[in-house]
Tab-separated table of all heavy atoms in Angstrom:
chain	number	residue	atom	x	y	z
A	648	MET	N	-177.503	-52.433	-21.780
A	648	MET	CA	-176.832	-53.452	-22.483
A	648	MET	C	-175.875	-54.131	-21.637
A	648	MET	O	-175.319	-53.546	-20.643
A	648	MET	CB	-176.257	-52.892	-23.760
A	648	MET	CG	-177.222	-52.230	-24.671
A	648	MET	SD	-176.371	-51.384	-26.039
A	648	MET	CE	-176.211	-52.738	-27.194
A	649	ASP	N	-175.544	-55.413	-21.929
A	649	ASP	CA	-174.428	-56.163	-21.311
A	649	ASP	C	-173.079	-55.493	-21.588
A	649	ASP	O	-172.761	-55.233	-22.718
A	649	ASP	CB	-174.449	-57.601	-21.832
A	649	ASP	CG	-173.401	-58.514	-21.227
A	649	ASP	OD1	-172.381	-57.940	-20.766
A	649	ASP	OD2	-173.644	-59.646	-21.178
A	650	PRO	N	-172.317	-55.125	-20.517
A	650	PRO	CA	-171.045	-54.427	-20.612
A	650	PRO	C	-170.095	-55.239	-21.582
A	650	PRO	O	-169.226	-54.617	-22.151
A	650	PRO	CB	-170.443	-54.428	-19.248
A	650	PRO	CG	-171.744	-54.383	-18.336
A	650	PRO	CD	-172.726	-55.362	-19.106
A	651	ALA	N	-170.211	-56.530	-21.673
A	651	ALA	CA	-169.295	-57.310	-22.586
A	651	ALA	C	-169.789	-57.389	-24.055
A	651	ALA	O	-169.089	-57.926	-24.906
A	651	ALA	CB	-169.124	-58.698	-22.027
A	652	SER	N	-170.939	-56.843	-24.323
A	652	SER	CA	-171.546	-56.973	-25.672
A	652	SER	C	-170.815	-56.122	-26.693
A	652	SER	O	-170.606	-54.882	-26.507
A	652	SER	CB	-173.019	-56.547	-25.565
A	652	SER	OG	-173.555	-56.382	-26.858
A	653	PRO	N	-170.463	-56.645	-27.813
A	653	PRO	CA	-169.929	-55.872	-28.963
A	653	PRO	C	-170.988	-54.772	-29.405
A	653	PRO	O	-170.454	-53.731	-29.832
A	653	PRO	CB	-169.715	-56.918	-30.054
A	653	PRO	CG	-169.701	-58.249	-29.433
A	653	PRO	CD	-170.584	-58.114	-28.258
A	654	ASP	N	-172.249	-55.059	-29.292
A	654	ASP	CA	-173.203	-54.097	-29.667
A	654	ASP	C	-173.094	-52.831	-28.692
A	654	ASP	O	-173.263	-51.661	-29.214
A	654	ASP	CB	-174.596	-54.580	-29.543
A	654	ASP	CG	-174.822	-55.682	-30.650
A	654	ASP	OD1	-174.209	-55.648	-31.665
A	654	ASP	OD2	-175.772	-56.521	-30.414
A	655	ARG	N	-172.869	-53.018	-27.502
A	655	ARG	CA	-172.645	-51.953	-26.479
A	655	ARG	C	-171.358	-51.080	-26.926
A	655	ARG	O	-171.445	-49.908	-26.854
A	655	ARG	CB	-172.487	-52.406	-25.085
A	655	ARG	CG	-172.399	-51.332	-24.036
A	655	ARG	CD	-172.340	-51.922	-22.618
A	655	ARG	NE	-172.350	-51.001	-21.564
A	655	ARG	CZ	-171.317	-50.593	-20.904
A	655	ARG	NH1	-170.086	-50.991	-21.180
A	655	ARG	NH2	-171.412	-49.578	-19.913
A	656	MET	N	-170.387	-51.898	-27.285
A	656	MET	CA	-169.102	-51.071	-27.804
A	656	MET	C	-169.427	-50.221	-28.930
A	656	MET	O	-168.883	-49.142	-29.066
A	656	MET	CB	-167.991	-52.103	-28.015
A	656	MET	CG	-166.702	-51.340	-28.278
A	656	MET	SD	-166.172	-50.098	-27.110
A	656	MET	CE	-165.811	-51.100	-25.689
A	657	ALA	N	-170.345	-50.682	-29.861
A	657	ALA	CA	-170.690	-49.852	-30.994
A	657	ALA	C	-171.414	-48.608	-30.541
A	657	ALA	O	-171.183	-47.561	-31.144
A	657	ALA	CB	-171.543	-50.744	-31.974
A	658	VAL	N	-172.224	-48.716	-29.480
A	658	VAL	CA	-172.987	-47.525	-28.982
A	658	VAL	C	-171.973	-46.635	-28.361
A	658	VAL	O	-172.053	-45.390	-28.545
A	658	VAL	CB	-174.054	-47.930	-28.004
A	658	VAL	CG1	-174.700	-46.755	-27.264
A	658	VAL	CG2	-175.112	-48.754	-28.689
A	659	ILE	N	-170.905	-47.150	-27.650
A	659	ILE	CA	-169.874	-46.357	-27.049
A	659	ILE	C	-169.145	-45.634	-28.117
A	659	ILE	O	-168.842	-44.394	-27.968
A	659	ILE	CB	-168.903	-47.221	-26.211
A	659	ILE	CG1	-169.542	-47.887	-25.013
A	659	ILE	CG2	-167.688	-46.420	-25.778
A	659	ILE	CD1	-170.016	-47.066	-23.945
A	660	LYS	N	-168.922	-46.262	-29.211
A	660	LYS	CA	-168.183	-45.562	-30.353
A	660	LYS	C	-169.044	-44.470	-30.890
A	660	LYS	O	-168.467	-43.388	-31.247
A	660	LYS	CB	-167.713	-46.604	-31.427
A	660	LYS	CG	-166.549	-47.522	-30.987
A	660	LYS	CD	-166.218	-48.470	-31.992
A	660	LYS	CE	-165.150	-49.371	-31.564
A	660	LYS	NZ	-164.734	-50.332	-32.499
A	661	GLN	N	-170.353	-44.627	-31.025
A	661	GLN	CA	-171.232	-43.588	-31.494
A	661	GLN	C	-171.198	-42.395	-30.422
A	661	GLN	O	-171.168	-41.250	-30.906
A	661	GLN	CB	-172.707	-44.115	-31.494
A	661	GLN	CG	-172.962	-44.978	-32.681
A	661	GLN	CD	-174.499	-45.433	-32.636
A	661	GLN	OE1	-174.767	-46.272	-31.800
A	661	GLN	NE2	-175.313	-44.867	-33.477
A	662	LEU	N	-171.197	-42.700	-29.144
A	662	LEU	CA	-171.066	-41.665	-28.220
A	662	LEU	C	-169.774	-40.862	-28.371
A	662	LEU	O	-169.791	-39.638	-28.207
A	662	LEU	CB	-171.183	-42.220	-26.792
A	662	LEU	CG	-172.553	-42.518	-26.224
A	662	LEU	CD1	-172.470	-43.396	-24.953
A	662	LEU	CD2	-173.225	-41.215	-25.874
A	663	ASN	N	-168.769	-41.589	-28.539
A	663	ASN	CA	-167.369	-41.005	-28.704
A	663	ASN	C	-167.421	-39.951	-29.902
A	663	ASN	O	-167.025	-38.775	-29.826
A	663	ASN	CB	-166.285	-41.987	-28.886
A	663	ASN	CG	-164.944	-41.372	-28.908
A	663	ASN	OD1	-164.566	-40.661	-27.978
A	663	ASN	ND2	-164.210	-41.648	-29.956
A	664	ARG	N	-167.937	-40.436	-31.046
A	664	ARG	CA	-168.061	-39.552	-32.163
A	664	ARG	C	-168.881	-38.361	-31.997
A	664	ARG	O	-168.481	-37.247	-32.168
A	664	ARG	CB	-168.607	-40.319	-33.410
A	664	ARG	CG	-168.795	-39.475	-34.658
A	664	ARG	CD	-169.643	-40.222	-35.763
A	664	ARG	NE	-170.966	-40.657	-35.240
A	664	ARG	CZ	-171.940	-39.948	-35.033
A	664	ARG	NH1	-171.978	-38.656	-35.173
A	664	ARG	NH2	-173.093	-40.533	-34.522
A	665	LEU	N	-170.115	-38.588	-31.445
A	665	LEU	CA	-171.025	-37.545	-31.152
A	665	LEU	C	-170.472	-36.452	-30.167
A	665	LEU	O	-170.636	-35.289	-30.346
A	665	LEU	CB	-172.400	-38.083	-30.713
A	665	LEU	CG	-173.516	-37.129	-30.634
A	665	LEU	CD1	-173.801	-36.404	-32.013
A	665	LEU	CD2	-174.767	-37.850	-30.176
A	666	THR	N	-169.914	-36.983	-29.082
A	666	THR	CA	-169.354	-36.112	-27.996
A	666	THR	C	-168.239	-35.253	-28.589
A	666	THR	O	-168.195	-34.069	-28.274
A	666	THR	CB	-168.799	-36.968	-26.829
A	666	THR	OG1	-169.868	-37.752	-26.389
A	666	THR	CG2	-168.240	-36.164	-25.748
A	667	THR	N	-167.416	-35.802	-29.446
A	667	THR	CA	-166.316	-35.079	-30.049
A	667	THR	C	-166.885	-33.948	-30.941
A	667	THR	O	-166.326	-32.857	-30.952
A	667	THR	CB	-165.410	-36.021	-30.862
A	667	THR	OG1	-164.946	-37.003	-29.934
A	667	THR	CG2	-164.282	-35.162	-31.412
A	668	GLU	N	-167.961	-34.188	-31.595
A	668	GLU	CA	-168.486	-33.271	-32.561
A	668	GLU	C	-169.303	-32.180	-31.807
A	668	GLU	O	-169.324	-30.998	-32.376
A	668	GLU	CB	-169.417	-33.952	-33.509
A	668	GLU	CG	-168.750	-34.869	-34.429
A	668	GLU	CD	-169.737	-35.702	-35.350
A	668	GLU	OE1	-170.966	-35.564	-35.172
A	668	GLU	OE2	-169.168	-36.452	-36.135
A	669	VAL	N	-170.007	-32.472	-30.744
A	669	VAL	CA	-170.978	-31.438	-30.308
A	669	VAL	C	-170.831	-30.927	-28.854
A	669	VAL	O	-171.412	-29.966	-28.443
A	669	VAL	CB	-172.447	-31.911	-30.506
A	669	VAL	CG1	-172.683	-32.114	-31.943
A	669	VAL	CG2	-172.736	-33.115	-29.611
A	670	VAL	N	-169.976	-31.573	-28.056
A	670	VAL	CA	-169.925	-31.259	-26.631
A	670	VAL	C	-168.653	-30.431	-26.415
A	670	VAL	O	-167.636	-30.512	-27.053
A	670	VAL	CB	-169.904	-32.501	-25.723
A	670	VAL	CG1	-169.666	-32.176	-24.282
A	670	VAL	CG2	-171.240	-33.219	-25.968
A	671	SER	N	-168.647	-29.620	-25.364
A	671	SER	CA	-167.657	-28.680	-25.045
A	671	SER	C	-166.383	-29.226	-24.279
A	671	SER	O	-165.857	-28.452	-23.549
A	671	SER	CB	-168.198	-27.419	-24.351
A	671	SER	OG	-168.783	-27.928	-23.153
A	672	HIS	N	-166.192	-30.479	-24.419
A	672	HIS	CA	-164.996	-31.152	-23.814
A	672	HIS	C	-164.124	-31.684	-24.779
A	672	HIS	O	-164.677	-32.230	-25.851
A	672	HIS	CB	-165.500	-32.221	-22.869
A	672	HIS	CG	-165.974	-31.817	-21.562
A	672	HIS	ND1	-167.216	-31.220	-21.357
A	672	HIS	CD2	-165.496	-31.854	-20.289
A	672	HIS	CE1	-167.461	-30.925	-20.073
A	672	HIS	NE2	-166.333	-31.268	-19.435
A	673	PHE	N	-162.917	-31.772	-24.537
A	673	PHE	CA	-162.015	-32.537	-25.490
A	673	PHE	C	-160.893	-33.130	-24.571
A	673	PHE	O	-160.472	-32.518	-23.646
A	673	PHE	CB	-161.450	-31.815	-26.604
A	673	PHE	CG	-160.480	-30.737	-26.293
A	673	PHE	CD1	-159.161	-30.941	-26.284
A	673	PHE	CD2	-160.877	-29.346	-26.036
A	673	PHE	CE1	-158.211	-29.950	-25.908
A	673	PHE	CE2	-160.042	-28.365	-25.738
A	673	PHE	CZ	-158.604	-28.660	-25.670
A	674	GLY	N	-160.596	-34.316	-24.861
A	674	GLY	CA	-159.641	-35.076	-24.068
A	674	GLY	C	-158.203	-34.715	-24.515
A	674	GLY	O	-158.004	-34.579	-25.749
A	675	LEU	N	-157.323	-34.633	-23.552
A	675	LEU	CA	-155.956	-34.380	-23.913
A	675	LEU	C	-155.170	-35.368	-23.022
A	675	LEU	O	-155.219	-35.356	-21.774
A	675	LEU	CB	-155.522	-32.938	-23.559
A	675	LEU	CG	-154.099	-32.679	-23.656
A	675	LEU	CD1	-153.606	-32.600	-25.077
A	675	LEU	CD2	-153.851	-31.259	-22.974
A	676	MET	N	-154.489	-36.365	-23.652
A	676	MET	CA	-153.670	-37.238	-22.863
A	676	MET	C	-152.391	-36.671	-22.398
A	676	MET	O	-151.726	-35.982	-23.183
A	676	MET	CB	-153.356	-38.444	-23.699
A	676	MET	CG	-154.547	-39.384	-24.054
A	676	MET	SD	-155.238	-40.011	-22.551
A	676	MET	CE	-154.329	-41.630	-22.493
A	677	THR	N	-152.107	-36.768	-21.096
A	677	THR	CA	-150.847	-36.250	-20.550
A	677	THR	C	-150.015	-37.480	-20.095
A	677	THR	O	-149.564	-38.200	-20.945
A	677	THR	CB	-151.101	-35.240	-19.469
A	677	THR	OG1	-151.837	-35.762	-18.468
A	677	THR	CG2	-151.732	-33.987	-20.002
């Protein structure tokens, strides 16, 4: 997808949700 596409950002948001739910990483802002 085009990096500037709002549709791509929707996919990124899906990735964020799914990654948070099932992957063994979590982000911690320092």
Side-chain angles (χ1 to χ4, degrees):
M648 300 173 88
D649 180 332
S652 166
D654 293 336
R655 183 176 187 260
M656 186 51 67
V658 173
I659 298 290
K660 288 179 180 179
Q661 285 179 284
L662 275 165
N663 188 54
R664 178 194 49 76
L665 189 59
T666 300
T667 302
E668 291 173 0
V669 300
V670 177
S671 60
H672 279 75
F673 68 92
L675 174 68
M676 288 298 266
T677 56

